[in-house]
């Protein structure tokens, strides 16, 4: 894990059946998996080659871990101070700041509209950046919010994110891209008919091949392949437990 302030530094899949979830994502994405040897719990590390990408943990039955889903961790310099600022800005703290021995400190929170994310302050030196387009890594972060303007203002105020380009999606409104100190890394859009959530786009080499693997492994596509500016292809999916995730690839 690494902690460049204001950027997504880690991802975690909370699954009802961790073994089945591990099998699914290994099949679809090509991740490898190993035990993290965390005392008192089973926590698996999903890796692209030798590089850790995400954690996998089972449902705890309480709080933020009581339902399946993907959770993104945003790096901060001080988890306790960041949690207090989020609470003061009408966000919610679902898991109070706590230590992970030898790793760092974290908290699980929501933004004012209810989208779940986590804060992380690491003890180790940051890992080097992942090359753009590297398979098996999260390439894009998309927030589905009820009010995209208010949502962007919240994250910009908390983490210093800046506006990048915006795309006019017609009746769906603007798709506001954001940057965290470099090129755009995500976008915010209005989804008034759904509970707010973060959707993460994972890079694969070929979109159609990955979608075929997902279907064979029990997942399904909820948005057909779409070409986006720059010539890449994306698709939105759900895994066998219904958890949303997305894929991005340089070709179909």
């Amino acid at each position: 894990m690494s902690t460049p302030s204001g950027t997504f530094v880690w991802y975690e899949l909370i699954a009802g059946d961790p073994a089945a979830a591990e099998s699914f994502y290994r099949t679809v994405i090509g991740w490898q998996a190993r035990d993290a040897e965390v005392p008192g719990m089973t926590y698996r590390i999903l890796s692209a080659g030798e590089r850790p990408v995400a954690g996998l943990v089972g449902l705890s039955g309480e709080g933020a871990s009581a339902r399946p889903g993907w959770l993104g961790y945003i790096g901060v310099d001080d988890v306790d101070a960041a949690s207090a600022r989020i609470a003061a800005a009408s966000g919610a703290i679902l898991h109070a700041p706590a230590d992970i021995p030898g790793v760092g400190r974290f908290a699980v929170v929501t933004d004012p509209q209810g989208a779940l994310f986590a804060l992380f302050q690491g003890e180790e030196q940051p890992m080097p950046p992942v090359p753009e387009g590297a398979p098996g890594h999260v390439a894009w972060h998309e927030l589905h919010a009820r009010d995209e303007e208010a949502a962007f203002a919240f994250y910009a105020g908390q983490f210093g994110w800046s506006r990048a380009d915006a795309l006019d999606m017609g009746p769906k409104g603007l798709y506001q891209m954001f940057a965290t100190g470099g090129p755009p890394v995500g976008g915010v859009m209005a989804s008034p008919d759904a509970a707010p959530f973060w959707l993460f786009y994972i890079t694969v080499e070929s979109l159609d091949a990955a979608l075929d693997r997902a279907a064979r492994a029990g997942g399904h596509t909820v948005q057909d392949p779409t070409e986006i500016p720059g010539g890449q292809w994306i698709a939105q999916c759900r895994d066998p437990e219904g958890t949303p995730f997305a894929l991005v690839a340089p070709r179909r």
Side-chain angles (χ1 to χ4, degrees):
M1 298 185 187
S2 58
T3 54
S5 183
T7 67
F8 281 92
V9 297
W10 189 244
Y11 309 90
E12 195 169 86
L13 176 61
I14 302 163
D17 186 338
E22 178 182 320
S23 177
F24 175 81
Y25 285 96
R26 290 183 68 163
T27 297
V28 176
I29 309 298
W31 282 331
Q32 300 170 8
R34 62 176 174 83
D35 186 51
E37 299 181 357
V38 177
M41 68 182 299
T42 299
Y43 194 94
R44 300 281 284 171
I45 301 293
L46 304 173
S47 301
E50 298 298 318
R51 179 71 175 255
V53 175
L56 171 61
V57 65
L59 298 179
S60 71
E62 61 182 36
S65 298
R67 59 187 184 275
W70 277 101
L71 177 65
Y73 284 65
I74 299 174
V76 295
D77 295 326
D78 186 325
V79 164
D80 296 77
S83 298
R85 289 194 298 269
I86 286 169
S90 299
I93 300 174
L94 302 188
H95 189 297
D99 290 326
I100 308 170
V103 177
R105 192 165 174 81
F106 81 104
V108 181
V109 300
T110 74
D111 66 26
Q113 298 181 45
L116 185 72
F117 66 100
L119 305 170
F120 181 74
Q121 173 188 348
E123 296 180 1
E124 302 175 356
Q125 290 296 316
M127 292 185 291
V130 175
E132 184 176 353
H137 292 275
V138 175
W140 195 253
H141 313 82
E142 187 172 87
L143 176 61
H144 291 246
R146 291 195 174 94
D147 181 336
E148 74 277 15
E149 281 291 331
F152 179 83
F154 169 81
Y155 287 94
Q158 297 296 318
F159 304 113
W161 294 356
S162 59
R163 292 182 186 272
D165 292 339
L167 299 176
D168 187 347
M169 300 190 299
K172 293 184 178 180
L174 287 180
Y175 187 91
Q176 177 63 61
M177 289 181 272
F178 64 86
T180 59
V185 295
V188 181
M189 64 180 291
S191 296
D193 297 329
F197 72 102
W198 279 99
L199 179 67
F200 304 111
Y201 287 70
I202 305 163
T203 302
V204 292
E205 294 181 352
S206 169
L207 186 60
D208 286 347
L211 291 176
D212 181 65
R213 293 194 298 270
R216 291 175 181 271
H220 64 278
T221 303
V222 297
Q223 181 192 60
D224 290 334
T226 302
E227 188 173 14
I228 60 175
Q232 292 186 309
W233 288 84
I234 62 171
Q236 295 180 4
C237 312
R238 290 185 182 272
D239 69 19
E241 291 190 338
T243 296
F245 70 102
L247 300 172
V248 56
R251 65 179 186 275
R252 286 198 64 178

